[in-house]
Coordinates of all heavy atoms in Angstrom, one line a residue:
M59 N -11.0 12.8 13.9 CA -11.8 13.4 12.9 C -13.2 13.3 13.2 O -13.7 12.1 13.3 CB -11.5 12.8 11.5 CG -12.2 13.4 10.4 SD -11.8 15.2 10.1 CE -10.0 15.1 9.7
I60 N -13.9 14.4 13.5 CA -15.2 14.3 14.1 C -16.2 15.2 13.3 O -15.8 16.1 12.6 CB -15.3 14.7 15.5 CG1 -15.0 16.2 15.7 CG2 -14.4 13.9 16.4 CD1 -15.3 16.8 17.1
K61 N -17.5 14.8 13.4 CA -18.6 15.6 12.8 C -19.5 15.9 14.0 O -20.0 15.0 14.7 CB -19.4 14.8 11.8 CG -20.6 15.5 11.2 CD -20.3 16.7 10.4 CE -21.5 17.3 9.8 NZ -21.3 18.6 9.1
D62 N -19.6 17.2 14.4 CA -20.4 17.5 15.5 C -21.4 18.7 15.2 O -21.9 19.4 16.1 CB -19.5 18.0 16.7 CG -18.6 19.1 16.4 OD1 -18.5 19.5 15.2 OD2 -18.0 19.7 17.3
T63 N -21.7 18.8 13.9 CA -22.8 19.7 13.5 C -23.7 19.0 12.5 O -23.3 18.0 11.9 CB -22.2 20.9 12.8 OG1 -21.4 20.5 11.7 CG2 -21.3 21.7 13.7
P64 N -25.0 19.4 12.5 CA -25.9 18.8 11.6 C -25.4 18.8 10.1 O -24.8 19.8 9.7 CB -27.2 19.5 11.8 CG -27.1 20.1 13.1 CD -25.6 20.4 13.3
F65 N -25.7 17.8 9.4 CA -25.4 17.8 7.9 C -26.4 18.5 7.1 O -27.6 18.2 7.2 CB -25.3 16.3 7.5 CG -25.1 16.2 6.0 CD1 -23.9 16.6 5.4 CD2 -26.1 15.6 5.2 CE1 -23.7 16.5 4.0 CE2 -25.9 15.5 3.8 CZ -24.7 15.9 3.2
D66 N -26.0 19.5 6.3 CA -26.9 20.3 5.5 C -26.5 20.3 4.1 O -25.6 21.1 3.7 CB -27.0 21.7 6.1 CG -28.0 22.6 5.4 OD1 -28.7 22.1 4.5 OD2 -28.0 23.9 5.6
L67 N -27.1 19.5 3.3 CA -26.7 19.4 1.9 C -26.9 20.7 1.1 O -26.0 21.1 0.3 CB -27.5 18.3 1.2 CG -27.3 18.0 -0.3 CD1 -25.8 17.5 -0.4 CD2 -28.2 17.0 -0.8
Q68 N -27.9 21.4 1.4 CA -28.2 22.7 0.7 C -27.2 23.8 0.9 O -27.0 24.7 0.1 CB -29.6 23.2 1.0 CG -30.7 22.2 0.7 CD -30.6 21.7 -0.8 OE1 -30.4 22.5 -1.7 NE2 -30.7 20.4 -1.0
S69 N -26.5 23.7 2.0 CA -25.5 24.8 2.3 C -24.1 24.5 1.7 O -23.2 25.3 1.8 CB -25.4 25.0 3.8 OG -24.8 23.8 4.4
M70 N -24.0 23.3 1.1 CA -22.7 22.9 0.5 C -22.4 23.6 -0.8 O -23.3 24.1 -1.5 CB -22.6 21.4 0.4 CG -22.8 20.7 1.7 SD -22.9 18.9 1.5 CE -21.3 18.6 0.9
K71 N -21.1 23.6 -1.2 CA -20.7 24.0 -2.5 C -21.4 23.2 -3.6 O -21.7 22.0 -3.4 CB -19.2 23.9 -2.7 CG -18.4 24.9 -1.8 CD -16.9 24.7 -2.1 CE -16.1 25.6 -1.3 NZ -14.6 25.4 -1.5
S72 N -21.7 23.8 -4.7 CA -22.4 23.1 -5.8 C -21.6 21.8 -6.3 O -22.2 20.8 -6.6 CB -22.7 24.0 -7.0 OG -21.5 24.5 -7.5
S73 N -20.3 21.9 -6.3 CA -19.5 20.8 -6.7 C -19.6 19.6 -5.8 O -19.5 18.5 -6.2 CB -18.0 21.2 -6.9 OG -17.5 21.7 -5.7
H74 N -19.7 20.0 -4.5 CA -19.8 18.9 -3.5 C -21.2 18.3 -3.5 O -21.4 17.1 -3.4 CB -19.5 19.5 -2.1 CG -18.1 19.9 -1.9 ND1 -17.7 20.6 -0.8 CD2 -17.0 19.8 -2.7 CE1 -16.4 20.9 -0.9 NE2 -16.0 20.4 -2.1
R75 N -22.2 19.1 -3.7 CA -23.6 18.6 -3.8 C -23.7 17.7 -5.0 O -24.4 16.7 -5.0 CB -24.6 19.8 -4.0 CG -24.9 20.5 -2.7 CD -26.2 21.3 -2.8 NE -26.3 22.1 -4.0 CZ -25.9 23.4 -4.1 NH1 -25.3 24.0 -3.0 NH2 -26.0 24.1 -5.2
Y76 N -23.0 18.0 -6.1 CA -23.0 17.2 -7.3 C -22.5 15.8 -7.0 O -23.1 14.8 -7.4 CB -22.2 17.8 -8.4 CG -22.0 16.9 -9.6 CD1 -23.0 16.8 -10.6 CD2 -20.9 16.2 -9.8 CE1 -22.9 16.0 -11.7 CE2 -20.7 15.4 -10.9 CZ -21.7 15.3 -11.8 OH -21.6 14.4 -12.9
K77 N -21.4 15.7 -6.3 CA -20.9 14.4 -6.0 C -21.8 13.6 -5.1 O -22.0 12.4 -5.3 CB -19.5 14.6 -5.3 CG -18.4 15.1 -6.2 CD -17.1 15.3 -5.4 CE -16.0 15.8 -6.4 NZ -14.7 16.0 -5.6
I78 N -22.4 14.2 -4.1 CA -23.3 13.5 -3.2 C -24.5 13.1 -3.9 O -25.0 11.9 -3.8 CB -23.6 14.4 -2.0 CG1 -22.3 14.6 -1.2 CG2 -24.7 13.7 -1.1 CD1 -22.5 15.6 -0.1
N79 N -25.1 14.0 -4.7 CA -26.3 13.6 -5.5 C -26.1 12.5 -6.5 O -26.9 11.7 -6.8 CB -26.9 14.9 -6.1 CG -27.6 15.8 -5.1 OD1 -28.2 15.3 -4.2 ND2 -27.5 17.1 -5.4
K80 N -24.9 12.5 -7.1 CA -24.5 11.5 -8.0 C -24.5 10.1 -7.3 O -25.0 9.1 -7.8 CB -23.1 11.7 -8.7 CG -22.7 10.7 -9.7 CD -21.4 11.0 -10.3 CE -21.0 10.0 -11.3 NZ -19.7 10.3 -12.0
G81 N -23.9 10.1 -6.1 CA -23.9 8.9 -5.3 C -25.3 8.4 -5.0 O -25.6 7.2 -5.1
R82 N -26.2 9.3 -4.7 CA -27.6 9.0 -4.3 C -28.3 8.5 -5.5 O -29.2 7.6 -5.4 CB -28.3 10.2 -3.7 CG -27.7 10.7 -2.4 CD -28.2 12.0 -2.0 NE -29.6 12.0 -1.6 CZ -30.3 13.1 -1.2 NH1 -29.6 14.3 -1.1 NH2 -31.5 13.0 -0.8
R83 N -28.0 9.0 -6.7 CA -28.6 8.5 -7.9 C -28.3 7.0 -8.3 O -29.1 6.3 -8.7 CB -28.3 9.4 -9.1 CG -28.9 10.7 -9.2 CD -28.9 11.3 -10.6 NE -27.5 11.4 -11.1 CZ -26.7 12.4 -10.9 NH1 -27.0 13.4 -10.2 NH2 -25.5 12.3 -11.5
Y84 N -27.0 6.7 -8.0 CA -26.5 5.4 -8.4 C -26.7 4.3 -7.3 O -26.6 3.1 -7.7 CB -25.0 5.5 -8.8 CG -24.8 6.0 -10.2 CD1 -24.5 7.3 -10.5 CD2 -25.0 5.1 -11.3 CE1 -24.3 7.7 -11.8 CE2 -24.8 5.5 -12.6 CZ -24.4 6.8 -12.8 OH -24.2 7.3 -14.1
F85 N -26.9 4.7 -6.1 CA -26.9 3.7 -5.0 C -28.1 3.9 -4.1 O -28.5 5.0 -3.8 CB -25.7 3.8 -4.2 CG -24.4 3.5 -5.0 CD1 -23.7 4.5 -5.5 CD2 -24.0 2.2 -5.1 CE1 -22.5 4.2 -6.3 CE2 -22.9 1.9 -5.9 CZ -22.1 2.9 -6.4
D86 N -28.7 2.7 -3.7 CA -29.6 2.7 -2.6 C -28.8 2.3 -1.4 O -28.2 1.2 -1.3 CB -30.7 1.6 -2.9 CG -31.7 2.1 -3.9 OD1 -32.2 3.2 -3.8 OD2 -32.1 1.3 -4.8
V87 N -28.8 3.2 -0.3 CA -28.1 2.9 0.9 C -29.1 2.7 2.0 O -30.0 3.6 2.2 CB -27.1 4.0 1.2 CG1 -26.3 3.7 2.5 CG2 -26.2 4.3 0.0
C88 N -29.0 1.7 2.8 CA -30.0 1.4 3.8 C -29.3 0.5 4.9 O -28.3 -0.1 4.7 CB -31.2 0.7 3.3 SG -30.9 -0.9 2.4
V89 N -30.0 0.5 6.1 CA -29.5 -0.4 7.1 C -29.9 -1.8 6.8 O -31.0 -2.1 6.3 CB -30.2 0.0 8.5 CG1 -29.8 -0.9 9.6 CG2 -29.7 1.5 8.9
I90 N -28.9 -2.7 6.9 CA -29.1 -4.1 6.6 C -28.8 -5.0 7.7 O -28.1 -4.6 8.7 CB -28.2 -4.5 5.4 CG1 -26.7 -4.4 5.7 CG2 -28.6 -3.7 4.1 CD1 -25.8 -5.0 4.7
D91 N -29.3 -6.2 7.6 CA -28.9 -7.3 8.5 C -27.7 -8.0 7.9 O -27.9 -8.7 6.9 CB -30.0 -8.3 8.7 CG -29.7 -9.5 9.7 OD1 -28.5 -9.5 10.1 OD2 -30.6 -10.3 10.0
P92 N -26.5 -7.8 8.4 CA -25.3 -8.3 7.8 C -25.3 -9.8 7.6 O -24.7 -10.4 6.7 CB -24.2 -7.8 8.6 CG -24.8 -7.6 10.0 CD -26.2 -7.1 9.7
K93 N -26.0 -10.6 8.5 CA -26.0 -12.0 8.4 C -26.7 -12.5 7.1 O -26.5 -13.6 6.7 CB -26.8 -12.6 9.6 CG -26.0 -12.3 10.9 CD -26.8 -12.9 12.1 CE -26.1 -12.6 13.4 NZ -26.9 -13.1 14.6
E94 N -27.5 -11.6 6.5 CA -28.2 -12.0 5.3 C -27.3 -11.7 4.0 O -27.7 -12.1 2.9 CB -29.5 -11.2 5.1 CG -30.5 -11.6 6.2 CD -31.8 -10.8 6.1 OE1 -31.9 -10.0 5.1 OE2 -32.7 -10.9 6.9
Y95 N -26.1 -11.1 4.3 CA -25.3 -10.7 3.1 C -23.8 -11.2 3.4 O -22.9 -10.5 2.9 CB -25.4 -9.2 2.9 CG -26.7 -8.7 2.5 CD1 -27.6 -8.3 3.5 CD2 -27.1 -8.7 1.2 CE1 -28.9 -7.8 3.2 CE2 -28.4 -8.2 0.8 CZ -29.2 -7.8 1.8 OH -30.5 -7.3 1.5
R96 N -23.6 -12.3 4.0 CA -22.2 -12.7 4.3 C -21.4 -12.8 3.0 O -20.2 -12.3 3.0 CB -22.3 -14.1 5.0 CG -22.9 -14.1 6.4 CD -22.8 -15.5 6.9 NE -23.7 -15.7 8.1 CZ -23.4 -15.5 9.3 NH1 -22.2 -15.1 9.6 NH2 -24.3 -15.6 10.3
E97 N -21.9 -13.5 2.0 CA -21.1 -13.7 0.8 C -20.8 -12.3 0.1 O -19.7 -12.1 -0.3 CB -21.9 -14.6 -0.2 CG -21.1 -15.1 -1.4 CD -20.0 -16.0 -0.9 OE1 -20.2 -16.8 0.0 OE2 -18.9 -16.0 -1.6
E98 N -21.8 -11.5 0.0 CA -21.6 -10.2 -0.6 C -20.6 -9.3 0.1 O -19.8 -8.6 -0.5 CB -23.0 -9.5 -0.8 CG -23.9 -10.2 -1.7 CD -24.8 -11.2 -1.0 OE1 -24.4 -11.6 0.1 OE2 -25.9 -11.5 -1.5
L99 N -20.7 -9.3 1.5 CA -19.8 -8.5 2.3 C -18.4 -9.0 2.2 O -17.4 -8.2 2.1 CB -20.3 -8.5 3.7 CG -21.6 -7.8 4.1 CD1 -22.1 -8.2 5.4 CD2 -21.4 -6.3 4.0
Y100 N -18.2 -10.3 2.1 CA -16.9 -10.9 1.9 C -16.3 -10.4 0.6 O -15.1 -10.0 0.5 CB -17.0 -12.4 1.9 CG -15.7 -13.1 1.4 CD1 -14.5 -13.1 2.2 CD2 -15.7 -13.8 0.2 CE1 -13.4 -13.7 1.8 CE2 -14.5 -14.4 -0.2 CZ -13.4 -14.3 0.5 OH -12.2 -14.9 0.1

Side-chain angles (χ1 to χ4, degrees):
M59 184 60 65
I60 68 169
K61 176 69 174 172
D62 58 353
T63 56
F65 173 66
D66 182 7
L67 181 63
Q68 299 308 314
S69 66
M70 300 174 65
K71 294 181 179 178
S72 59
S73 60
H74 295 172
R75 286 201 307 272
Y76 172 80
K77 291 179 180 180
I78 294 170
N79 285 326
K80 181 177 180 179
R82 294 169 70 181
R83 286 198 307 272
Y84 278 100
F85 297 95
D86 284 315
V87 183
C88 58
V89 175
I90 63 171
D91 180 352
K93 295 179 183 178
E94 297 179 3
Y95 296 93
R96 293 180 198 270
E97 192 68 32
E98 295 89 339
L99 290 165
Y100 167 70

